[in-house]
């Protein structure tokens, strides 16, 4: 199976259908290349001090820089709540009362990096597999994703596999895409970073989105306390976790809505 390819003018139904059928989808030119250049420029001052990966999985040729939501105003404005993210999340996690942004990191994959092990992102939970999807993730092409610079490999359709099945040697396909594109894949889709044989640094932002009743991949409220987050759009602030996370989840103080922490901080500042 191929990765379904859509464009910026494709419909929400086409995105939903692609995610149902393949568990993944590439949307070419979802944002302008200039948006990605601005993000790369905003992240550049922070990357030199980021350590390279120290496991086969995280990759000795890959740097993953965090705090993207604070460090990149352009990410906040153009990517974090992009309409395709909202469509994909609402669709894949339609069973959940709430879903949130769980992770946003800036990935630099350098020449010489080998293939990452094909995996399902749900393995991060270390929990028994669930019969339904609990997350949908995205890789934003901050540079082109090419055959030689480490474009992600995916196994379209593998979201429907049983838990024991593993990809065969030729079941994965490359997500080649121009800068500005976004690749979606559900938590159950087998995928992994590709091998880079030396064609510049592949730049990407990985965002992960999960149901409110699971731990976020990042400790978002610790990273972005009210003193940092209060300046942002209310929708984004709720999206990182300042909200009730289920019918009786996510309490703050006397079972209050955590967004009140933002409102109180704003009141103190004014
Ligand atoms: O860098 C990539 O293309 C994929 C990375 C990935 O899947 C992961 O780290 O979970
Ligand atoms: Fe992954």
């Amino acid at each position: 199976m191929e990765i379904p390819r859509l464009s910026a003018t494709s419909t929400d139904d086409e995105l939903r259908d692609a995610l149902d059928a393949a568990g993944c989808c590439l949307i070419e030119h979802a944002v302008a290349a200039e948006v990605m250049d601005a993000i790369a420029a905003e992240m550049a001052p922070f990357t030199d001090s980021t350590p390279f990966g120290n496991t086969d999985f995280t990759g000795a040729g890959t740097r993953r820089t965090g705090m993207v939501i604070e460090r990149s105003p352009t990410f906040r404005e153009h990517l974090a709540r992009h309409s395709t993210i909202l469509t994909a999340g609402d669709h894949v996690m339609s069973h959940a009362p709430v879903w949130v942004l769980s992770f946003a990191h800036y990935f630099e994959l350098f020449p010489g990096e080998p293939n990452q092990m094909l995996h399902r992102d749900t393995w991060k939970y270390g929990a028994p597999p669930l019969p339904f999807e609990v997350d949908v993730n995205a890789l934003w092409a901050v540079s082109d994703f090419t055959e030689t610079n480490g474009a992600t490999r995916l196994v379209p359709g593998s979201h429907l596999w049983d838990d024991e099945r593993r990809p065969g040697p030729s079941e994965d396909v490359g997500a080649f895409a121009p800068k500005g594109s976004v690749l979606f894949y559900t938590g159950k889709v087998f995928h992994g970073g590709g091998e880079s044989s030396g064609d510049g640094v592949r730049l990407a932002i990985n965002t992960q989105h999960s149901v409110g009743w699971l731990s976020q991949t990042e400790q978002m409220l610790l990273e972005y306390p009210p003193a940092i987050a209060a300046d942002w759009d209310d929708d984004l602030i709720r999206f990182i976790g300042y909200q009730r996370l289920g019918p009786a989840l996510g309490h703050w103080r006397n079972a209050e809505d955590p967004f009140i922490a933002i409102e109180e901080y704003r009141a103190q500042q004014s």
Side-chain angles (χ1 to χ4, degrees):
M1 192 188 276
E2 292 302 311
I3 303 169
R5 297 186 88 92
L6 303 180
S7 72
T9 57
S10 301
T11 65
D12 287 352
D13 275 340
E14 287 176 291
L15 174 54
R16 289 187 278 257
D17 289 349
L19 289 169
D20 287 346
C24 58
C25 180
L26 244 173
I27 302 176
E28 289 186 15
H29 300 294
V31 298
E34 294 74 40
V35 169
M36 296 311 198
D37 292 341
I39 290 172
E42 288 163 354
M43 291 306 296
F46 304 104
T47 53
D48 275 351
S49 58
T50 302
F52 283 88
N54 57 5
T55 62
D56 283 349
F57 187 83
T58 53
T62 299
R63 287 196 301 212
R64 295 154 189 253
T65 302
M67 302 299 295
V68 168
I69 311 175
E70 179 186 4
R71 291 169 167 174
S72 176
T74 307
F75 170 81
R76 293 201 298 273
E77 186 182 344
H78 291 278
L79 265 51
R81 291 188 47 84
H82 192 270
S83 64
T84 59
I85 294 279
L86 302 183
T87 299
D90 282 345
H91 184 60
V92 173
M93 297 177 284
S94 60
H95 53 81
V98 173
W99 62 273
V100 296
L101 180 61
S102 161
F103 180 83
H105 273 204
Y106 182 68
F107 287 7
E108 300 164 285
L109 191 153
F110 286 77
E113 181 76 316
N115 278 318
Q116 187 187 38
M117 179 189 70
L118 294 175
H119 61 278
R120 285 175 153 163
D121 276 351
T122 50
W123 290 354
K124 71 185 170 186
Y125 297 115
L130 292 164
F132 49 87
E133 298 280 4
V134 292
D135 35 26
V136 62
N137 302 328
L139 266 180
W140 292 91
V142 180
S143 66
D144 291 343
F145 288 177
T146 71
E147 189 141 23
T148 50
N149 80 356
T152 312
R153 316 281 317 168
L154 291 102
V155 185
S158 56
H159 62 312
L160 302 176
W161 291 2
D162 63 40
D163 299 323
E164 284 69 46
R165 184 163 165 192
R166 294 290 177 270
S170 55
E171 287 189 279
D172 55 314
V173 292
F176 313 127
K179 186 197 294 189
S181 306
V182 59
L183 168 69
F184 284 100
Y185 46 99
T186 71
K188 286 177 178 268
V189 169
F190 277 94
H191 68 281
E195 173 186 27
S196 173
S197 55
D199 179 21
V201 182
R202 192 210 68 176
L203 304 175
I205 286 189
N206 181 208
T207 58
Q208 304 177 2
H209 317 84
S210 56
V211 297
W213 47 263
L214 272 171
S215 288
Q216 289 158 287
T217 308
E218 292 186 71
Q219 303 276 2
M220 289 273 182
L221 304 200
L222 198 54
E223 292 177 327
Y224 310 114
I228 291 175
D231 286 341
W232 304 345
D233 284 349
D234 289 359
D235 286 344
L236 177 60
I237 298 170
R238 291 194 183 88
F239 196 40
I240 69 166
Y242 286 93
Q243 61 170 313
R244 294 188 197 287
L245 298 167
L249 265 189
H251 297 329
W252 181 58
R253 279 189 326 206
N254 299 324
E256 293 156 84
D257 182 332
F259 193 79
I260 294 169
I262 298 290
E263 291 171 337
E264 288 185 2
Y265 180 82
R266 287 173 175 164
Q268 283 162 19
Q269 300 303 305
S270 60

